[in-house]
Amino acid sequence: MNKLFLIILATLSIVPISSVYAETAEGKGEAIIIEVDKRNTGWKTSQSQMKMVLRNKRGEETIRKIRIKSLEVENDGDKGLTIFDEPKDVKGTAFLTYSHALKADEQWIFLPALKRVKRISSSNKSGPFMGSEFSYEDISSFEVEKYSFKYLRDEKVENFDTFVVELVPLYKHSGYTKQIVWVDKKDYIFRKTEFYDRKKSLLKTLVFSNHEQYLGKYWRALTMDMVNHQRGKSTTLLLSNFKFGMDLKDSDFNKSNLKRAR
């Protein structure tokens, strides 16, 4: 399931979640997240456009225009291709992700200025993605097997009733000690996520809004606002023109084709 685009991005067969609740907080938290994942399975291929708005401490903005292609992979994490179209200094930059459930994600980036494809190290996934407040880790697809879970409480966010669940990464080199997610009780989509750094301090907050449903089933947040509380910077992702059932093949997500990505 694709995280940023996604990324970063994670939303939602309607089975009452109470029917699968376990007795423990851990079991309840896991059941909630499994339901989230289940409702976002089966879309196969998708394509969208995105405007990335980067803001510095003074509120000054830099805007980038991006295209995203995604391929759902059965029994593994998804594949995602991100292509930068504007401005001129990043045009032609292409980023490829192979997300995995039980092994390290694979990520590569093509930088036109260097004219070469660079692999992103597994130990560098906490680094900022193209100067934004999203990390490389944030834009991998969400895989249930990567975390342990704990239900914390019920809480209202804006006007939405939500479950609050703690996620602790089980994979090596995560930049976070935990994430706290607010899951909409009605549609099982993420409304908000808090990210805690390796010192267990609140690092970032991501708010999902302006959701739309596609194919009568799949929800996508068209607006994602990430605020970095420690750096005083923020990044907003504005997604549009979602299309599903595109003629995308595994060969379209080959690192050897990154230099020619269009």
Side-chain angles (χ1 to χ4, degrees), residues 22-32 149-152 165-166:
E23 300 258 346
T24 66
E26 290 77 10
K28 185 173 180 177
E30 183 175 8
I32 292 167
F149 308 96
K150 183 179 181 180
Y151 164 79
L152 300 179
V165 181
E166 178 185 86

Side-chain angles (χ1 to χ4, degrees), residues 69-251:
K69 299 179 181 180
S70 302
L71 178 70
E72 190 175 34
V73 179
E74 194 171 344
N75 300 319
D76 200 359
D78 304 328
K79 296 184 178 182
L81 176 62
T82 305
I83 304 165
F84 287 76
D85 294 325
E86 296 182 21
K88 187 176 180 179
D89 62 338
V90 296
K91 181 177 174 62
T93 298
F95 178 73
L96 179 64
T97 294
Y98 293 177
S99 298
H100 299 295
L102 300 176
K103 62 180 182 179
D105 295 339
E106 300 171 87
Q107 296 177 319
W108 301 267
I109 190 166
F110 171 67
L111 300 170
L114 300 179
K115 296 182 179 180
R116 68 182 182 91
V117 175
K118 177 183 177 182
R119 181 162 185 160
I120 306 300
S121 169
S122 297
S123 60
N124 193 36
K125 297 298 172 64
S126 60
F129 174 64
M130 294 296 290
S132 75
E133 297 314 306
F134 289 85
S135 70
Y136 289 99
E137 181 177 353
D138 298 336
I139 58 177
S140 296
S141 71
F142 181 87
E143 306 301 327
V144 174
E145 296 88 347
K146 289 183 176 182
Y147 303 91
S148 65
F149 308 96
K150 183 179 181 180
Y151 164 79
L152 300 179
R153 60 187 180 274
D154 289 359
E155 189 170 285
K156 189 176 285 290
V157 173
E158 300 292 337
N159 294 318
F160 304 103
D161 292 320
T162 68
F163 302 109
V164 185
V165 181
E166 178 185 86
L167 282 62
V168 175
L170 299 176
Y171 52 95
K172 191 177 181 180
H173 301 310
S174 174
Y176 309 118
T177 51
K178 67 178 180 179
Q179 299 176 30
I180 307 295
V181 299
W182 280 255
V183 178
D184 188 289
K185 288 186 177 182
K186 179 176 180 289
D187 295 313
Y188 287 87
I189 58 178
F190 291 127
R191 293 289 178 185
K192 184 172 74 169
T193 302
E194 289 181 347
F195 301 85
Y196 290 79
D197 65 17
R198 289 169 177 157
K199 296 180 180 179
K200 301 184 179 181
S201 298
L202 177 61
L203 175 61
K204 302 183 295 188
T205 299
L206 174 60
V207 175
F208 303 86
S209 60
N210 192 21
H211 289 78
E212 285 195 10
Q213 191 178 43
Y214 297 86
L215 304 180
K217 183 177 181 180
Y218 305 112
W219 289 97
R220 294 293 182 265
L222 302 187
T223 303
M224 290 180 276
D225 291 295
M226 180 78 88
V227 176
N228 190 312
H229 303 289
Q230 298 180 13
R231 288 159 50 94
K233 299 181 179 182
S234 66
T235 298
T236 297
L237 305 180
L238 302 169
L239 291 105
S240 61
N241 298 324
F242 270 100
K243 296 180 181 179
F244 293 82
M246 308 300 294
D247 184 22
L248 298 174
K249 305 175 292 297
D250 192 69
S251 58

